[in-house]
């Protein structure tokens, strides 16, 4: 009699082994995809959304970074100006863009200021974006028309108090650091002033030179050409220390406005869920570009100091800045006009 046939376990073992191998491959696939994504990136031009018009500080800072980074990546980074709603129109577009590294945002510090002053913001400044790097830090400068008969901050204060007309101060838009610096000036001097928001610094500066507004706290990159040409007078810088670009111009503190210190900054973001190694590659590229002597010199001529932080450092800085500006909003009672 033949012995009873004993079924072998080989088919089961092989099937299970193949299943486990397939599962392992599937689990590792995203990591391989990420690695390939960074290795192959970028394979096409990159769009850098600037949520302000051409010629303003965000545009100038973003364009210089785009050129320097594009040369390193051997790919074009082109600017797409999308102004409106204090930068929220352009930022919202990036928040909803594909998270593939081909749509980025260059914005100012209002990226974290907007939620402190607007009841509704069409994105979450932290959760809808992947921070890449802080590009530069920039003092603001108090400027007036060259036609205004004042040369110091105290002369300006006295002139405005004598003025029988309405005092208008301009800004690059609601909730911008320019706007809140003006509100802080109003708070500390007691001068009644009306805020006039613009869609960027460029049109505000045009009206300042034309006399439609009386003063403006502006970012140095956009104000410097008009200061240099003599079309605007620089009365003070808003940082604790004087600017190396305008060393002869005192700080607001030195000018008798105690406790006045503000600045603005500019950074790069990608949409949330952009592969981490693409974000890191962009950050490393930006950091290297911001250390290039010619790029440093160009930014410094604008009055900007290159930073080049890591994504993690930038995130922590954003959190501290949101807290600071929220306090200025609270103290000044600033409103989104």
């Amino acid at each position: 009699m033949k012995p009873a046939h004993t079924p072998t376990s080989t088919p089961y073992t092989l099937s299970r082994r193949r299943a486990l191998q397939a599962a392992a491959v599937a689990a590792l696939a995203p990591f391989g995809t990420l690695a390939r994504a960074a290795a192959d990136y970028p394979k096409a031009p990159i769009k850098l959304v600037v949520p302000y018009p051409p010629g303003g500080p965000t545009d100038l800072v973003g364009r210089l970074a785009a050129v320097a980074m594009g040369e390193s990546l051997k790919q074009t980074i082109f600017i797409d100006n999308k102004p409106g709603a204090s930068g929220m129109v352009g930022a919202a577009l990036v928040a909803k863009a594909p998270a593939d590294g081909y749509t980025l945002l260059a914005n100012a510090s209002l990226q974290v200021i907007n939620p402190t002053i607007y009841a509704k913001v069409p994105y979450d400044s932290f959760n809808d974006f992947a921070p890449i790097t802080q590009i530069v830090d920039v003092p603001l400068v108090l400027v007036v028309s060259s036609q205004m008969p004042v040369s110091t901050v105290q002369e300006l204060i006295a002139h405005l108090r004598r003025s029988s007309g309405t005092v208008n101060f301009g800004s690059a838009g609601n909730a911008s650091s320019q706007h809140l610096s003006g509100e802080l000036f109003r708070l500390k001097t007691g001068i009644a002033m009306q805020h006039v928001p613009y869609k960027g610094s460029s049109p505000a500066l045009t009206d300042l030179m034309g006399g439609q507004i009386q003063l403006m706290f502006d970012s140095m990159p956009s104000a410097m050409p008009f200061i240099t040409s003599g079309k605007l007078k620089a009365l003070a810088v808003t940082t604790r220390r004087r600017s190396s670009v305008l060393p002869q111009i005192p700080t607001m503190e030195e000018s008798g406005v105690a406790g006045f210190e503000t600045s603005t900054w500019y950074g790069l973001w990608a949409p949330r869920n952009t592969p981490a190694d693409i974000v890191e590659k962009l950050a490393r590229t930006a950091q290297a570009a911001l250390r290039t002597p010619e790029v440093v010199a160009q930014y410094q001529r604008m009055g900007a100091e290159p930073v080049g932080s890591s994504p993690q450092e930038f995130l922590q800085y954003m959190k501290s800045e949101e807290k600071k500006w929220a306090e200025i909003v609270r103290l000044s009672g600033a409103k989104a006009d």
Side-chain angles (χ1 to χ4, degrees), residues 86 88 114 116-120 173-175 179-180 183 195 197 329 333-337:
S86 293
M88 289 189 285
N114 278 338
T116 71
I117 198 169
Y118 283 98
K120 293 183 179 180
N174 282 315
H179 170 200
L180 296 183
E183 294 288 357
H195 175 226
V329 169
K335 304 292 183 184
D337 306 317

Side-chain angles (χ1 to χ4, degrees), residues 154-240:
Q154 291 303 317
E155 288 178 0
L156 172 65
I157 292 170
H159 176 78
L160 295 178
R161 284 179 176 156
R162 290 194 302 267
S163 176
S164 57
T166 301
V167 176
N168 295 319
F169 76 94
S171 80
N174 282 315
S176 64
S177 55
Q178 292 97 320
H179 170 200
L180 296 183
S181 294
E183 294 288 357
L184 190 60
F185 185 62
R186 177 186 60 79
L187 178 70
K188 289 186 172 294
T189 62
I191 295 171
M193 300 195 304
Q194 179 66 38
H195 175 226
V196 182
Y198 291 81
K199 291 182 178 180
S201 287
S202 186
L205 291 169
T206 298
D207 275 6
L208 179 60
M209 289 181 282
Q212 284 80 17
I213 57 178
Q214 283 66 56
L215 63 100
M216 181 177 177
F217 288 88
D218 194 30
S219 185
M220 279 197 178
S222 53
M224 278 302 296
F226 302 102
I227 295 170
T228 303
S229 68
K231 293 179 179 178
L232 292 176
K233 292 180 187 178
L235 302 186
V237 294
T238 61
T239 42
R240 185 168 295 176

Side-chain angles (χ1 to χ4, degrees), residues 7 143 157 197 307:
V143 287
I157 292 170
V307 177

Side-chain angles (χ1 to χ4, degrees), residues 23-38:
V25 170
L28 292 172
F31 298 97
T33 301
L34 288 177
R36 287 195 300 275

